[in-house]
Amino acid sequence: MSEYENPTITFYPHESEFDVTPEEQKPALSTNERLMNYNGRLKESLNNGIRFTEVFDTLINTTDLNELFQSIKTLASYQLDDDYLVYPIQYSRADFYLIFINRLLSLNDKETVILMSSEKDRALYHEFPGINACGRFKFKVDSADEQRAFYIDERTGLSLFYIDFSDKVLYFNSRDIVELLIANDAENNKEDLIRFEKYLVSIGECVEQAYGYEVDFNLLNARRNAVYPIVSETEPEVALDRLFIMGSEAGCMLKSGINGEAIMNLSDSVVLTLFDENLAGGNSPKWVITVKDDEDKISFFDLLVRYDFFKDWYLENLQSVEIRRARCFWKKDDGEA
């Protein structure tokens, strides 16, 4: 029977290089090496935290505008936590943006908003004296890009402006500004609304002058030759008829100009004009509104605050004469595209 038995074979480990798997080729880490690797990673985490505090120090203390901007750019994408070290209490990117706005305005002697802290969730928010009924103002960071954010009223979610720290743009949102401050302004007096307008304009002017931002002031624009495009692509005849009637009742006559433009003298120095900007040879109608005054201090928003009949007319005819806003605020059902 022994001739049918398999002979005993003894295998020795790795007699040939072809017997070794890639995993077995890697030398195992010794206990000491593992400890040193852990300690090194922990040092990196601690240094990352220290670096964060240095950048945060710059954000809250620097008097240099360029350093201020670089600090917020860094914090906008800074990753503080990692697998080795997690900080349980942190300010959010939205909080950093609020701090940046306050510091920027302060360095330009234009700080009028109060930076507050919520005891409930430790989040920061802005509070403007006289506009408290509108709620608290904060930033909502764009989920697709953390360097983009909307400045919103926390209670309603309405966004007053959009800012992009990467592309250096800031756009004001005419629709939400009107809805929050004009359509629902029963609890705010006109002086507070004008002060809040100046605060918003100051933000745009500061980023424009200090960092070269492209700023669309929209209905807040009071500069010479400011033009406010409206949503209607054709002459808003019904709205003009209503403006004629409502203006007449308020003692302001709507007149027709030599090129078909509608002109209204709201006072001795303030003139409102609505006309087709492409009358001189454009391919298609582009209806716009302009506001002229002697000192270039009156914006479209100012008219809504100062003249009750004009506010009522505008709110009644939004479907045709609403001031257009930047695409970042558009929704599919807005009818602005």
Side-chain angles (χ1 to χ4, degrees):
M1 297 291 293
S2 60
E3 61 179 332
Y4 298 104
E5 293 178 353
N6 292 325
T8 301
I9 301 176
T10 303
F11 291 93
Y12 294 94
H14 314 322
E15 288 185 338
S16 167
E17 62 176 337
F18 300 106
D19 298 327
V20 185
T21 63
E23 288 76 13
E24 291 174 324
Q25 285 181 328
K26 296 180 180 178
L29 288 175
S30 68
T31 300
N32 186 62
E33 288 172 327
R34 289 181 182 276
L35 293 175
M36 291 191 63
N37 182 60
Y38 165 79
N39 202 38
R41 291 292 301 274
L42 192 57
K43 286 179 181 179
E44 291 177 5
S45 299
L46 290 170
N47 288 332
N48 184 56
I50 293 172
R51 168 61 179 155
F52 171 85
T53 63
E54 293 172 347
V55 179
F56 193 61
D57 274 340
T58 301
L59 177 67
I60 60 180
N61 292 315
T62 187
T63 58
D64 184 281
L65 288 172
N66 289 326
E67 287 185 352
L68 179 67
F69 187 71
Q70 288 305 315
S71 68
I72 193 61
K73 283 276 292 179
T74 301
L75 291 173
S77 57
Y78 204 99
Q79 184 60 46
L80 184 57
D81 293 340
D82 61 22
D83 293 338
Y84 280 74
L85 190 58
V86 175
Y87 295 82
I89 300 176
Q90 298 182 36
Y91 284 116
S92 67
R93 285 172 175 78
D95 294 330
F96 297 149
Y97 295 156
L98 289 175
I99 298 170
F100 169 77
I101 293 297
N102 274 77
R103 296 287 347 276
L104 178 62
L105 293 174
S106 176
L107 291 176
N108 285 276
D109 297 321
K110 294 183 178 180
E111 186 178 19
T112 54
V113 71
I114 302 172
L115 184 63
M116 304 289 288
S117 178
S118 169
E119 295 298 329
K120 181 180 179 180
D121 53 15
R122 297 190 179 90
L124 300 180
Y125 63 92
H126 278 164
E127 183 178 276
F128 191 91
I131 309 292
N132 293 345
C134 293
R136 309 187 307 190
F137 300 99
K138 64 178 186 179
F139 277 104
K140 179 181 179 181
V141 178
D142 190 333
S143 58
D145 188 334
E146 293 178 331
Q147 298 209 31
R148 302 173 181 173
F150 295 86
Y151 189 73
I152 69 169
D153 168 54
E154 185 178 51
R155 178 175 59 87
T156 62
L158 296 171
S159 58
L160 304 186
F161 66 81
Y162 162 86
I163 189 169
D164 187 325
F165 290 95
S166 178
D167 291 341
K168 290 188 176 183
V169 297
L170 189 152
Y171 303 139
F172 286 99
N173 184 359
S174 57
R175 176 173 296 183
D176 286 9
I177 288 174
V178 168
E179 183 174 344
L180 183 67
L181 301 175
I182 302 299
N184 302 309
D185 69 342
E187 299 180 356
N188 301 303
N189 63 51
K190 294 184 177 183
E191 289 75 17
D192 288 333
L193 289 172
I194 295 299
R195 288 175 52 248
F196 190 70
E197 175 196 19
K198 290 180 179 178
Y199 156 67
L200 294 176
V201 171
S202 292
I203 295 174
E205 289 177 342
C206 286
V207 297
E208 181 183 54
Q209 294 166 9
Y211 308 121
Y213 268 56
E214 174 192 327
V215 180
D216 178 7
F217 289 94
N218 203 267
L219 81 172
L220 305 179
N221 191 357
R223 296 174 178 179
R224 183 181 295 275
N225 299 322
V227 173
Y228 312 100
I230 64 174
V231 294
S232 178
E233 295 182 352
T234 59
E235 181 178 359
E237 295 180 4
V238 174
L240 287 175
D241 289 341
R242 287 295 295 153
L243 183 59
F244 176 82
I245 296 171
M246 298 172 75
S248 298
E249 293 173 350
C252 299
M253 295 300 298
L254 184 67
K255 302 177 182 179
S256 179
I258 58 175
N259 293 315
E261 65 270 35
I263 305 171
M264 176 176 285
N265 288 75
L266 295 168
S267 70
D268 292 338
S269 61
V270 180
V271 180
L272 170 77
T273 307
L274 195 151
F275 63 98
D276 178 5
E277 194 177 40
N278 286 337
L279 273 177
N283 295 325
S284 60
K286 181 182 179 183
W287 284 84
V288 299
I289 295 176
T290 61
V291 178
K292 303 294 184 182
D293 67 285
D294 293 341
E295 299 180 346
D296 296 323
K297 291 185 177 180
I298 306 298
S299 69
F300 190 91
F301 180 85
D302 292 322
L303 300 188
L304 297 175
V305 175
R306 297 176 184 224
Y307 301 96
D308 291 336
F309 87 89
F310 186 75
K311 176 189 73 173
D312 294 339
W313 169 78
Y314 183 72
L315 295 177
E316 180 184 310
N317 295 277
L318 286 173
Q319 290 186 341
S320 59
V321 298
E322 182 180 15
I323 304 303
R324 284 186 176 271
R325 56 200 180 142
R327 286 181 177 270
C328 59
F329 304 113
W330 291 8
K331 299 176 182 178
K332 292 182 179 179
D333 58 348
D334 280 344
E336 292 182 85

